[in-house]
């Protein structure tokens, strides 16, 4: 059988191969250490052709992140587990991509595609965390400071390059306990 030439391979198939190679290279070398031409070569596509699929390197990076995180979100959302457990599952599944979280965070100011994707992911994670916390909050607790704190803590977990000395589940439990304790203390002070 004669191998198909590039023109015979459907666009979606070429794009998928491009995203696979880009995921491998971005994960191994980071955003800054990966060149578009290198991704094209790895996928068997000319550098100029890569830009036909993704006009900028940021667009390609956003597509990689959307694919990686989208697959993890779909898998986690398919389960009927508690919000805390879904949060742990997502963070565990994507732990090997933590460097990509950080680089997306650093590129947000320059790229609307990355900004939109990153902020959407962060909002989804915050919603899960707040659902987990809400089950333990006292009646009438002020959730505004909890939401702000959740945002900061989750963002720190996502972009930290420090090796974790605790499991993801332990970190999530510590965050939930801290948020609940803060809410209880604030409620007591307000009522006090």
């Amino acid at each position: 059988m004669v191998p198909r030439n590039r023109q015979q391979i459907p666009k979606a198939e070429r794009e998928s191969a491009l995203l696979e190679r880009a995921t491998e290279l971005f994960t191994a070398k980071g955003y800054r250490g990966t060149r578009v031409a290198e991704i094209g070569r790895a996928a068997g596509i000319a550098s100029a052709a890569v830009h036909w699929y993704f006009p900028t390197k940021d667009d390609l990076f956003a597509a990689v992140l959307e694919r990686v995180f989208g697959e993890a979100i779909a898998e986690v959302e398919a389960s009927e587990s508690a919000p805390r457990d879904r949060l742990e599952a997502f963070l565990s599944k994507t732990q090997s991509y933590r460097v990509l979280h950080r680089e997306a965070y650093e590129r947000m100011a320059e790229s609307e595609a990355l900004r939109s994707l990153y902020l959407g992911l962060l909002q989804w994670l915050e919603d899960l965390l707040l659902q987990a916390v809400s089950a333990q909050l006292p009646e009438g607790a002020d959730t505004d400071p909890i939401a702000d704190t959740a945002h900061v803590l989750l963002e720190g977990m996502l972009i930290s390059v420090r090796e974790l000395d605790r499991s993801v589940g332990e970190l999530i439990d510590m965050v939930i306990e801290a948020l609940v304790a803060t809410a209880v203390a604030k409620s007591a002070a307000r009522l006090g």
Side-chain angles (χ1 to χ4, degrees):
M1 182 170 168
V2 176
R4 299 183 295 176
N5 68 33
R6 286 283 162 208
Q7 286 73 30
Q8 293 172 323
I9 299 172
K11 180 181 185 242
E13 199 175 309
R14 287 191 309 264
E15 185 174 316
S16 180
L18 185 59
L19 287 172
E20 286 175 30
R21 298 299 84 74
T23 301
E24 292 166 3
L25 288 166
F26 282 136
T27 302
K29 299 172 82 172
Y31 177 88
R32 285 183 291 280
T34 303
R35 293 184 19 241
V36 172
E38 180 180 20
I39 294 169
R41 273 193 307 276
I45 297 172
S47 177
V50 174
H51 293 289
W52 185 66
Y53 294 94
F54 304 99
T56 69
K57 184 177 177 183
D58 282 336
D59 291 329
L60 176 56
F61 190 47
V64 164
L65 295 176
E66 185 172 9
R67 184 180 200 189
V68 167
F69 300 138
E71 288 172 0
I73 288 170
E75 189 175 326
V76 166
E77 286 295 312
S79 79
E80 295 191 21
S81 57
R84 180 248 175 249
D85 296 335
R86 291 194 319 258
L87 183 61
E88 179 183 5
F90 176 83
L91 292 173
S92 294
K93 287 178 189 315
T94 60
Q95 196 163 10
S96 62
Y97 300 106
R98 280 179 49 209
V99 69
L100 301 183
H101 280 283
R102 181 179 193 84
E103 291 187 307
Y105 177 80
E106 292 170 352
R107 301 263 337 129
M108 284 194 316
E110 288 84 29
S111 170
E112 182 54 38
L114 287 170
R115 178 179 168 72
S116 176
L117 179 83
Y118 186 85
L119 292 178
L121 173 63
L122 190 57
Q123 185 62 57
W124 179 78
L125 291 167
E126 284 175 29
D127 290 346
L128 276 182
L129 181 58
L130 291 175
Q131 289 171 35
V133 170
S134 294
Q136 300 178 37
L137 289 178
E139 185 74 27
D142 182 7
T143 58
D144 286 342
I146 300 305
D148 292 342
T149 306
H151 176 89
V152 170
L153 292 173
L154 272 172
E155 199 164 58
M157 285 177 69
L158 290 174
I159 66 171
S160 175
V161 292
R162 184 178 156 260
E163 282 297 315
L164 302 176
D165 55 355
R166 299 186 193 310
S167 71
V168 171
E170 288 176 282
L171 289 172
I172 291 168
D173 291 339
M174 288 171 37
V175 167
I176 290 172
E177 289 167 13
L179 292 172
V180 169
T182 300
V184 169
K186 294 277 187 191
S187 293
R190 193 177 62 221
L191 297 173

